[in-house]
Amino acid sequence: MFLILQKKMKLIFILLLVLIAPAFLLFGIVNLVIGKSGKKTVGSVYGKKVTTVDYAQSASAVRSTLFLQYADRYEEAMKFFNIEELTWRRILLAAFCELNGITASLKEVREFIQNLPVFRDEGGGSNLYKYDEIVLRRLNSPINQFEDMMRQTLVNEKAVGMVARSTMVFDTDVREYFREQNEQAMVEYLAFR
């Protein structure tokens, strides 16, 4: 038996090569196509390209943040939000924070997460079981990814607060804005034949 295999070794090798090579070739082509689709650019912010993967991660973060804010009435609240607009705002804020070096420490992130009402029990204390249940099962996110998402949310809130504190709004501006938003024209007309 062994002598027969030795004599037919070249044929066996060619046969294996014919069977295995297309599988590797197909795997390589599929991987190349999937890799390029993840690199597809959907826009740019401050000259930095935003890929479909970046956009999808930001959209997921927006949905997760909205769930954390409106957990008990999430489905009802989602009707009032434009996820695409909120996603682009998150991407823009993240780029702004990166350019301006705005960061958050681990302690700040921990406190931010612990103070979210959705992770509190009836007594007002932190509930680790509830935390794991919501993050792992409801949001379907690994803990480290969730905490990175919360870090970015906190950093974005810091940036918004920083800009808001440095902005002066005068009464005349508020009145003008209110007038523009609420002024209505009354038109009456007569028709003659």
Side-chain angles (χ1 to χ4, degrees), residues 36-44 48-53 88:
K36 282 189 177 181
S37 69
K39 301 285 186 200
K40 185 178 176 187
T41 303
V42 293
S44 67
K48 182 182 173 188
K49 293 181 179 180
V50 178
T51 64
T52 53
V53 172
W88 281 110

Side-chain angles (χ1 to χ4, degrees), residues 133-174:
E133 181 70 26
I134 289 172
V135 172
L136 296 173
R137 288 176 186 76
R138 174 58 181 96
L139 298 177
N140 198 21
S141 174
I143 298 291
N144 62 339
Q145 285 181 359
F146 174 76
E147 290 174 354
D148 287 342
M149 179 188 70
M150 288 290 97
R151 171 178 278 116
Q152 189 61 53
T153 300
L154 176 59
V155 167
N156 288 355
E157 286 185 11
K158 280 181 162 184
V160 169
M162 183 180 78
V163 171
R165 282 189 303 275
S166 66
T167 304
M168 294 289 290
V169 179
F170 299 102
D171 292 344
T172 55
D173 296 332
V174 174

Side-chain angles (χ1 to χ4, degrees), residues 13-186:
F13 180 72
I14 291 172
L15 185 62
L16 283 174
L17 188 63
V18 168
L19 292 175
I20 294 174
F24 280 107
L25 185 63
L26 181 64
F27 176 76
I29 291 171
V30 169
N31 197 18
L32 183 66
V33 169
I34 290 173
K36 282 189 177 181
S37 69
K39 301 285 186 200
K40 185 178 176 187
T41 303
V42 293
S44 67
V45 174
Y46 295 121
K48 182 182 173 188
K49 293 181 179 180
V50 178
T51 64
T52 53
V53 172
D54 297 333
Y55 183 84
Q57 288 173 344
S58 292
S60 174
V62 165
R63 285 188 193 90
S64 297
T65 304
L66 288 173
F67 174 78
L68 295 174
Q69 290 174 341
Y70 305 101
D72 55 342
R73 53 190 189 277
Y74 175 72
E75 296 300 326
E76 182 182 321
M78 288 302 288
K79 298 174 192 171
F80 300 103
F81 292 104
N82 182 342
I83 301 298
E84 184 176 352
E85 180 182 337
L86 292 173
T87 301
W88 281 110
R89 283 185 184 184
R90 183 179 177 89
I91 292 169
L92 184 63
L93 271 171
F96 175 81
C97 293
E98 187 177 322
L99 282 174
N100 291 293
I102 302 170
T103 60
S105 68
L106 183 59
K107 182 182 177 189
E108 289 174 315
V109 174
R110 191 175 300 131
E111 287 174 4
F112 179 72
I113 292 172
Q114 287 174 346
N115 290 328
L116 290 170
V118 74
F119 298 129
R120 312 291 260 164
D121 57 16
E122 287 76 26
S126 297
N127 186 335
L128 286 176
Y129 174 74
K130 204 173 188 183
Y131 178 75
D132 287 345
E133 181 70 26
I134 289 172
V135 172
L136 296 173
R137 288 176 186 76
R138 174 58 181 96
L139 298 177
N140 198 21
S141 174
I143 298 291
N144 62 339
Q145 285 181 359
F146 174 76
E147 290 174 354
D148 287 342
M149 179 188 70
M150 288 290 97
R151 171 178 278 116
Q152 189 61 53
T153 300
L154 176 59
V155 167
N156 288 355
E157 286 185 11
K158 280 181 162 184
V160 169
M162 183 180 78
V163 171
R165 282 189 303 275
S166 66
T167 304
M168 294 289 290
V169 179
F170 299 102
D171 292 344
T172 55
D173 296 332
V174 174
R175 277 191 218 104
E176 180 68 23
Y177 177 77
F178 180 79
R179 188 180 60 73
E180 287 175 5
Q181 295 296 317
N182 296 303
E183 189 176 81
Q184 295 177 355
M186 297 285 290

